[in-house]
Amino acid sequence: MMEIKKHLHGLTEKEVLKSREQYGRNLITPPEETPWWKLYLEKFEDPIIVILLVATAISLIFGIVHGDFTESIGIIFAVLIATGVGFWQEYDAKKKFDAMKTDKDFEPVKVRRDGVVVEVPKDQLVVGDVVILSAGDEIPADIELHHSMDMKVSEASMTGESVAVSKYVMTEPYTGSGFAPNLLLRGTTIEQGMGEGIVVKVGDETEIGKTTRQASEETDSKTPLEEKLDELAGKINIAAFTVAAAMFVILNLVHWDFAFGDNPFVMSWDTLLTEVQFLMGAVVVIIVAVPEGLPLSVTLALAFSMKTMAKENNLVKKMHACETIGAVNVIFSDKTGTLTQNVMTVVEKDVVDGMKEKLDIIGAINSTANWSNGSQVLGNPTEGAILKSIGHELTETLRNEYDVISCIPFSSAYKYMVTYANKLSSNEKIIVIKGAPEVIARIIGFDGFLTKVSDQQARGRRAISAAILGENCDFEAIKANLDNGVMIPEAQYVGTWFIEDPVRQDVPDAIKTCYKAGIDVVMMTGDNLKTGTEIARQAGFKNIWAIEAKDFDKAIKESGHGREFPNVIARCTPTNKLDILKWAQERKYVCAMTGDGVNDSPSLNYADVGIAMGSGTSVAKEASDIILLDDAFPSIVTGVKWGRSLFKNIKNFLYLQLSINVSACLIAVFGPLVGVEMPFTVTQFLWINLVMDSLAAIALASEPADEKVLEDKPRNRKEFIINKPLAKAIFGFGGLIFLICTFVLWSMNKNIPYISEIDTTMFFAGYMVLNWWNLFNARVIGKNKSVFSGLFNNSKFYGVTFGILVTTWLIVQFGGEVFRTHPLSWETWGMILLVTSPVLIVRELYFQLFGKKKSN
């Protein structure tokens, strides 16, 4: 870096140009936005979508040979719907987010250039500029102070520290932890005082610029759902081609005379045509084995959750975050503005008997804070808290009663403020003081209140004590005693305000729900250890293990705390937060990170799901996956509920679709062994897949969130999406349907009484209705509740299920030669519905007899 010109004259125009050329403009490079077309193409990276595209290509070849493009059109339609819905939901969320962003890069800043004070846009600042600052200003760049007066800066957005920190000039290099007291960071705000400083870093080189870069880096990490769908796609590929190959071999074995068949195998066009038909049948099995409705089901479920979560104050920017939040087992939370209100509040007072009015007078007149529009207080947050405890009306009344003659402003050096005032109605003079309790105790020669102060400070509260130094006495004499450190014997203690940034009222219940749901909550804050511990206690944290961030590596090697790692981590820098988050992710925790400040943004970006407060910084919101519009921690719990319910809906669809695929593929493979080479025609196969895939996807995706999921533990990230219970249900029902259908096919071929009356149309209709009944079971599988529970509260579900039944009836009644069907009578349809209904009845009876006991 060039040697910075440290003089009050400021830079010349030539020096400004040279500095800008060397260090650039004071602009933070925004993250590169993904164009809409690329956002859409990204939807085709889904592994199931890739399989469907391959299936589309195969079906197009098949369509050219067979002259039927029904399946190709159906698959293409399913792909376009799935990708289109996913794209539109994320694009719509992006537009809503963009509308929330504000641009402050061009606000005017006072600088001294060529000896003259001028205003320049923030983006025109350069390294070496002398900037003039005062209370209320947002720091425009990283600045090194060369002059200051009673300056306090809120660094909450950068460090999470809720209390403003003193800033002053240093003559020696800073060797402590955290940011140096003479360094002002871009994006922080001056709460009191004034000063001048020299710009040392601009744009991307500032601390906020570096943090913003980390917040926008590509993490290349996959969500738990994406990992499982990748794994599922691989297994489906293997299974589909294995079953297809087996079917092709079996068809040849039972058809030709070189094995078990009666047809002579000779090289001819007829033989070649037969082999092409067998191959086409095998190809159809591949297509049937791939659940076309899965991406549609996943997308619709995500979109439905995304839309509903927005109504419940969760603006989801990235669609998969809807599900990922349900898999979370650790929530890393910021303190200020997330668990607490980020509003300093007087929570208790210690008042000498009969002195309440005097305490209000001291708080009102001995203050630099002011009411604005009767509802907000401008100025020092501590003084603002005192004014709020007094109230707007009383504050103005007291200030109108007293005329301030002189004052000694607060200084971090002596830690008190004194006001000399005249009561207008009686012309009585009064000298009052407020400040640090230990300082007030020394000045007035009384420390009887310090025990209570110590108890309150142990609870993480700030204490501001007040006293009357004298009435109708010499102000200059009092001032001289203060300057000389002489005790003032006539002084009288009045009381103390105890101030804290209170925990949000709804946070303890939300934390309790998190524990019940098997989710650990860890606070990572820039605040001190004592305050962090107390806030954790008030928030309802269990087994509090509090450390400073610098001791994390040492702490995790310890044992005996009843925890694997600490749950209160104080004095965290952005780097500390990111390192701890990555440590947890390496151990396969699914991590959510909540926050509102710039210091939180890198962790928000790298977390499995980043959750920013709606009132937070634009950098934090840019880095997040979900924005809490109401800033309420309980909204995270709502997100978890929707995420878990969504995953259950996806598994319910997998149960329905894969049980159909299992039975259909097995019937296709083993049908020839019982004398029926093609139990279903190619077109029937395809419509079984399309109708039960696409329409059932819509029905099951629309299921609302279930409160009971918050009583479950988070799922194991390593566990395959089709776990043992689900696999048993899929292969159990699919296998049962396969056995029933194979027996029916065998009986049809062997002329068994009654069953032999069933023809291929009735067989096809019966198979469709069997799976239609199972759709009701699929809605509640794994939820241990009746199939009728909440059934009529979801109009989408019963509307779509009715549509599936109607579609099946239309295919059968009017399919003709295309579907190898003929119209059935109403009596036959009634019989089919009756004979297949045990699929639903048996399951409901089992629940009523045994399931209720398990749920009680």
Side-chain angles (χ1 to χ4, degrees):
M1 178 183 290
M2 73 173 188
E3 184 179 350
I4 298 173
K5 201 171 183 181
K6 295 188 177 181
H7 54 71
L8 299 182
H9 186 269
L11 300 177
T12 64
E13 188 61 33
K14 184 178 179 180
E15 289 171 327
V16 168
L17 294 174
K18 182 179 178 182
S19 179
R20 185 172 295 127
E21 182 180 348
Q22 185 172 358
Y23 298 106
R25 291 176 66 190
N26 187 31
L27 285 174
I28 294 176
T29 306
E32 185 177 347
E33 291 201 4
T34 306
W36 68 267
W37 58 268
K38 191 173 182 182
L39 198 65
Y40 178 65
L41 290 179
E42 285 176 357
K43 302 302 157 198
F44 288 88
E45 295 175 3
D46 186 297
I48 302 295
I49 292 287
V50 173
I51 293 178
L52 289 181
L53 292 175
V54 174
T56 303
I58 294 172
S59 66
L60 282 171
I61 296 171
F62 167 77
I64 292 171
V65 175
H66 195 259
D68 182 3
F69 294 93
T70 304
E71 172 66 6
S72 304
I73 294 170
I75 298 177
I76 291 170
F77 179 74
V79 169
L80 291 177
I81 289 291
T83 55
V85 171
F87 160 74
W88 177 251
Q89 289 294 329
E90 286 195 2
Y91 184 71
D92 186 53
K94 179 179 177 298
K95 287 196 298 182
K96 290 177 182 176
F97 171 67
D98 289 342
M100 296 171 62
K101 295 192 289 187
T102 58
D103 190 355
K104 297 184 178 181
D105 285 332
F106 308 103
E107 292 180 345
V109 179
K110 291 179 182 178
V111 298
R112 184 176 283 111
R113 286 182 178 173
D114 245 344
V116 180
V117 176
V118 295
E119 283 190 338
V120 299
K122 183 193 289 187
D123 69 309
Q124 297 297 314
L125 282 182
V126 298
V127 172
D129 260 329
V130 177
V131 181
I132 301 170
L133 302 161
S134 58
D137 287 348
E138 182 180 287
I139 310 299
D142 284 3
I143 296 172
E144 185 178 299
L145 278 175
H146 67 70
H147 170 70
S148 69
M149 181 181 295
D150 193 25
M151 182 178 284
K152 282 186 177 291
V153 174
S154 171
E155 293 185 340
S157 64
M158 287 296 293
T159 65
E161 176 71 63
S162 57
V163 179
V165 295
S166 297
K167 292 292 182 178
Y168 48 86
V169 179
M170 294 187 67
T171 56
E172 299 293 331
Y174 180 65
T175 57
S177 59
F179 297 110
N182 65 332
L183 180 62
L184 306 180
L185 303 174
R186 174 171 174 154
T188 59
T189 305
I190 301 175
E191 290 194 349
Q192 72 176 47
M194 55 189 296
E196 291 187 11
I198 295 176
V199 175
V200 291
K201 290 180 181 179
V202 294
D204 291 339
E205 293 304 311
T206 59
E207 289 297 323
I208 191 175
K210 294 174 183 176
T211 306
T212 301
R213 264 203 312 278
Q214 284 183 308
S216 60
E217 288 174 356
E218 291 291 334
T219 61
D220 294 327
S221 59
K222 289 188 175 182
T223 68
L225 180 61
E226 287 173 330
E227 291 175 352
K228 297 310 165 193
L229 290 180
D230 280 352
E231 190 176 353
L232 178 62
K235 292 183 184 297
I236 287 175
N237 259 333
I238 295 170
F241 281 93
T242 301
V243 172
M247 179 181 177
F248 183 74
V249 171
I250 290 173
L251 284 170
N252 276 281
L253 290 175
V254 299
H255 185 81
W256 303 114
D257 60 3
F258 63 73
F260 308 107
D262 300 321
N263 300 291
F265 183 82
V266 292
M267 295 304 297
S268 66
W269 283 110
D270 288 339
T271 300
L272 181 60
L273 182 60
T274 301
E275 288 298 320
V276 169
Q277 289 175 335
F278 290 165
L279 182 60
M280 287 192 300
V283 168
V284 170
V285 168
I286 293 176
I287 296 172
V288 170
V290 177
E292 280 96 332
L294 180 57
L296 179 61
S297 176
V298 172
T299 303
L300 288 174
L302 289 170
F304 179 70
S305 296
M306 204 170 174
K307 184 177 180 180
T308 309
M309 286 173 69
K311 293 178 182 177
E312 299 188 16
N313 298 306
N314 286 255
L315 176 60
V316 181
K317 290 170 55 191
K318 299 174 184 176
M319 184 174 277
H320 276 284
C322 290
E323 185 278 330
T324 306
I325 192 172
V328 162
N329 46 32
V330 179
I331 297 175
F332 288 102
S333 177
D334 184 32
K335 175 183 73 69
T336 306
T338 306
L339 299 177
T340 67
Q341 299 174 19
N342 197 19
V343 178
M344 300 301 289
T345 305
V346 174
V347 291
E348 200 170 328
K349 299 176 185 178
D350 172 39
V351 187
V352 174
D353 289 343
M355 286 288 189
K356 181 182 182 304
E357 183 181 352
K358 294 292 186 183
L359 187 66
D360 288 340
I361 291 170
I362 297 172
I365 67 174
N366 191 28
S367 174
T368 60
N370 290 285
W371 283 95
S372 174
N373 299 322
S375 58
Q376 292 183 324
V377 178
L378 301 180
N380 181 281
T382 301
E383 291 187 335
I386 294 173
L387 289 192
K388 286 180 181 178
S389 73
I390 298 171
H392 174 250
E393 187 175 336
L394 182 56
T395 300
E396 296 305 315
T397 300
L398 293 173
R399 287 184 172 182
N400 289 331
E401 287 181 1
Y402 286 86
D403 179 31
V404 175
I405 302 171
S406 183
C407 74
I408 302 173
F410 179 86
S411 168
S412 55
Y414 42 76
K415 297 182 179 179
Y416 61 75
M417 178 180 180
V418 177
T419 292
Y420 177 37
N422 175 45
K423 188 174 183 180
L424 297 176
S425 60
S426 62
N427 206 31
E428 295 176 353
K429 305 294 190 295
I430 186 172
I431 304 172
V432 296
I433 187 172
K434 77 175 193 307
E438 64 276 11
V439 174
I440 301 300
R442 177 182 57 77
I443 291 173
I444 67 177
F446 171 72
D447 61 3
F449 61 96
L450 291 184
T451 300
K452 186 166 186 178
V453 167
S454 179
D455 292 340
Q456 292 286 334
Q457 288 176 331
R459 297 174 65 181
R461 294 172 174 174
R462 298 191 72 195
I464 303 294
S465 296
I468 298 174
L469 296 182
E471 294 179 288
N472 296 317
C473 56
D474 186 355
F475 176 67
E476 293 302 323
I478 294 288
K479 185 177 178 181
N481 285 341
L482 290 172
D483 289 341
N484 296 321
V486 177
M487 185 186 71
I488 302 174
E490 63 269 29
Q492 185 179 11
Y493 172 69
V494 175
T496 300
W497 296 278
F498 299 108
I499 303 168
E500 70 179 12
D501 180 9
V503 170
R504 293 176 180 271
Q505 291 183 352
D506 48 11
V507 162
D509 285 340
I511 298 289
K512 185 178 179 180
T513 304
C514 285
Y515 287 137
K516 188 177 180 181
I519 301 172
D520 195 13
V521 184
V522 178
M523 180 200 299
M524 295 200 292
T525 176
D527 220 331
N528 64 72
L529 190 62
K530 183 184 288 186
T531 300
T533 303
E534 176 58 23
I535 293 297
R537 184 192 66 78
Q538 293 178 23
F541 278 46
K542 289 182 179 178
N543 300 329
I544 296 176
W545 178 12
I547 63 162
E548 289 195 356
K550 62 182 177 62
D551 300 322
F552 182 79
D553 290 338
K554 178 182 177 182
I556 57 178
K557 297 175 183 177
E558 299 176 8
S559 59
H561 295 275
R563 303 180 47 82
E564 185 179 352
F565 56 96
N567 60 346
V568 176
I569 306 171
R571 296 301 185 197
C572 276
T573 66
T575 301
N576 293 144
K577 291 187 177 187
L578 187 56
D579 288 345
I580 293 168
L581 173 72
K582 289 182 176 179
W583 176 89
Q585 288 176 320
E586 286 172 0
R587 283 149 185 80
K588 297 303 179 183
Y589 286 101
V590 181
C591 303
M593 172 70 192
T594 74
D596 62 348
V598 175
N599 60 317
D600 303 314
S601 55
S603 299
L604 289 171
N605 182 43
Y606 275 86
D608 294 294
V609 55
I611 306 169
M613 302 295 116
S615 63
T617 61
S618 58
V619 177
K621 288 184 281 191
E622 188 78 55
S624 67
D625 302 304
I626 297 174
I627 299 173
L628 299 184
L629 301 177
D630 59 354
D631 285 5
F633 188 88
S635 292
I636 301 172
V637 178
T638 301
V640 171
K641 177 181 71 176
W642 275 99
R644 291 188 177 185
S645 297
L646 184 151
F647 189 73
K648 279 186 176 288
N649 289 347
I650 292 171
K651 292 182 73 172
N652 291 352
F653 174 77
L654 282 174
Y655 159 72
L656 175 74
Q657 185 54 54
L658 293 182
S659 64
I660 293 173
N661 291 8
V662 166
S663 62
C665 289
L666 289 175
I667 291 168
V669 171
F670 291 98
L673 297 179
V674 295
V676 183
E677 285 190 356
M678 296 292 284
F680 299 117
T681 66
V682 171
T683 312
Q684 285 177 346
F685 259 135
L686 302 180
W687 275 96
I688 289 170
N689 221 25
L690 282 175
V691 172
M692 296 308 294
D693 262 22
S694 303
L695 294 181
I698 297 171
L700 293 174
S702 64
E703 276 296 291
D706 184 0
E707 293 287 342
K708 288 186 177 181
V709 296
L710 292 177
E711 300 174 7
D712 300 334
K713 299 301 179 186
R715 70 178 188 273
N716 188 339
R717 185 168 190 163
K718 298 178 182 178
E719 186 180 69
F720 184 42
I721 191 170
I722 301 175
N723 54 16
K724 287 184 178 179
L726 184 59
K728 285 176 64 177
I730 290 170
F731 287 100
F733 183 79
L736 177 63
I737 298 302
F738 155 68
L739 291 174
I740 292 172
C741 290
T742 303
F743 173 74
V744 170
L745 289 173
W746 177 81
S747 301
M748 289 165 56
N749 199 38
K750 297 296 182 180
N751 294 318
I752 302 297
Y754 300 109
I755 300 179
S756 61
E757 297 175 13
I758 298 174
D759 60 17
T760 54
T761 297
M762 295 172 64
F763 179 78
F764 171 66
Y767 180 79
M768 291 289 284
V769 175
L770 272 172
N771 289 295
W772 179 78
W773 282 117
N774 196 37
L775 180 56
F776 293 87
N777 294 336
R779 190 180 71 89
V780 295
I781 189 170
K783 297 179 181 179
N784 196 35
K785 60 183 182 181
S786 167
V787 293
F788 301 107
S789 175
L791 176 62
F792 297 104
N793 295 331
N794 185 357
S795 59
K796 292 186 181 69
F797 179 84
Y798 60 74
V800 173
T801 50
F802 179 73
I804 292 173
L805 191 60
V806 170
T807 303
T808 301
W809 180 81
L810 290 171
I811 290 171
V812 172
Q813 296 299 105
F814 303 101
E817 292 184 5
V818 175
F819 285 94
R820 197 182 69 183
T821 61
H822 60 79
L824 299 177
S825 66
W826 288 112
E827 290 80 3
T828 303
W829 277 109
M831 185 60 67
I832 289 172
L833 284 167
L834 182 64
V835 170
T836 56
S837 62
V839 168
L840 177 66
I841 295 170
V842 171
R843 189 273 170 194
E844 182 63 16
L845 286 174
Y846 179 84
F847 169 77
Q848 296 297 334
L849 293 173
F850 306 106
K852 282 186 175 181
K853 296 178 182 178
K854 293 180 181 178
S855 59
N856 292 333

